[in-house]
């Protein structure tokens, strides 16, 4: 029996919920990229299909995801597919991923994008709950379509960006990506912090440490905003406008690290 492995990267749960729903339909192993060391090498060797699920960051593939795929570069001969969740513009995300997969000796057989509620607080809060409900319903339907596509091992459907918008968002991604790691300089914590340490636990790249019982960011950030969005006290702020901006994480998840 063929085996499929799904790897996801998720800060506020959008990509994790999509990955878990897709894994359920495909009877696939589902694993956080941040915890991938827990996957047995023998299981990976037996895998004939691999999927990547992640959010669009800065109009492209998150740097963390690119590094993960490069480290797991044994893609040759495997069926490779990907799903990107986004709230603004997907841009040329799948173009960039396709080039990476090809460079590593693989082929991107399917690349899909799914709109989800905004979780990047510098661009504002999430949409109203009724809009969120519509997005979630549409995402369930999209997952069904993707699962059918992958089960049949279909080829050729890749949501490539085209035109001037793709060129411009590609340039923006290249520029912003060089700044991402130090964007955590805009994080701060207020007096409501109760030193629970959840932010430190959730950070996928170990960028947060507790100093004097308060979080400090170590400048290798991925801008996933798990720390801010999941803070039970809403004590973590970013910039000047976040304090009065509603928080968001996917409502189907009680906690990202369950």
């Amino acid at each position: 029996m063929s085996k499929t492995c799904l790897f996801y990267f998720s800060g506020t749960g959008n990509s994790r919920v999509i990955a878990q729903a897709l894994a359920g339909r495909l009877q696939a192993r589902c694993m956080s990229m941040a915890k991938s060391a827990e996957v047995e090498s023998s299981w990976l060797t037996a895998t004939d299909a691999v999927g990547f699920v992640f959010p669009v960051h800065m109009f492209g593939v998150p740097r963390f995801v690119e590094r993960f795929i490069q480290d797991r570069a044994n893609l040759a001969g495997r069926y490779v597919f990907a799903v990107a969740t986004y709230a603004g513009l997907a841009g040329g995300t799948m173009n960039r991923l396709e080039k990476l997969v090809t460079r590593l000796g693989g082929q991107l057989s399917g690349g899909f994008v799914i709109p989800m509620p905004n979780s990047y607080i510098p661009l504002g809060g999430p949409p109203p709950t009724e809009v969120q409900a519509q997005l979630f319903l549409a995402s369930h339907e999209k997952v069904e379509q993707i699962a059918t596509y992958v089960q049949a091992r279909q080829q050729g459907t890749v949501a490539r960006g085209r035109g001037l918008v793709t060129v411009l968002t590609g340039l923006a991604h290249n520029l912003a990506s060089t700044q991402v790691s130090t964007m955590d300089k805009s994080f701060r914590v207020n007096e409501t912090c109760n030193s629970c340490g959840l932010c430190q636990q959730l950070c996928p790249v170990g960028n947060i440490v507790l100093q004097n019982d308060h979080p400090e960011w170590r400048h290798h950030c991925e801008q996933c905003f798990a720390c801010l969005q999941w803070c039970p006290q809403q004590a973590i702020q970013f910039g000047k406008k976040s304090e009065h901006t509603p928080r968001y994480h996917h409502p189907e998840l009680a906690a990202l690290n369950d």
Side-chain angles (χ1 to χ4, degrees), residues 142-172:
K142 187 74 172 185
V143 165
E144 290 296 319
Q145 296 169 9
I146 296 170
T148 299
Y149 181 96
V150 172
Q151 284 173 327
R153 295 296 191 261
Q154 291 180 255
Q155 305 272 348
T157 298
V158 177
R160 301 179 185 91
R162 292 180 174 84
L164 183 60
V165 171
T166 299
V167 173
L168 293 176
T169 54
L171 292 172

Side-chain angles (χ1 to χ4, degrees), residues 186-197:
S186 294
F187 282 112
R188 56 189 170 82
V189 62
N190 64 28
E191 68 281 358
T192 63
C193 176
N194 63 1
S195 308
C196 71

Side-chain angles (χ1 to χ4, degrees), residues 22 32 38 66 106 122 139 152 157 210 245 258:
L22 191 54
S32 166
E38 299 172 14
E66 289 191 340
S139 73
T157 298
L210 293 185
T245 303
D258 280 351

Side-chain angles (χ1 to χ4, degrees), residues 30-62:
C30 189
M31 199 73 193
S32 166
M33 295 185 192
K35 300 178 179 178
S36 63
E38 299 172 14
V39 178
E40 315 90 72
S41 58
S42 60
W43 203 95
L44 284 170
T45 302
T47 298
D48 76 335
V50 60
F52 305 107
V53 184
F54 56 88
V56 172
H57 277 192
M58 313 294 177
F59 308 114
V61 183

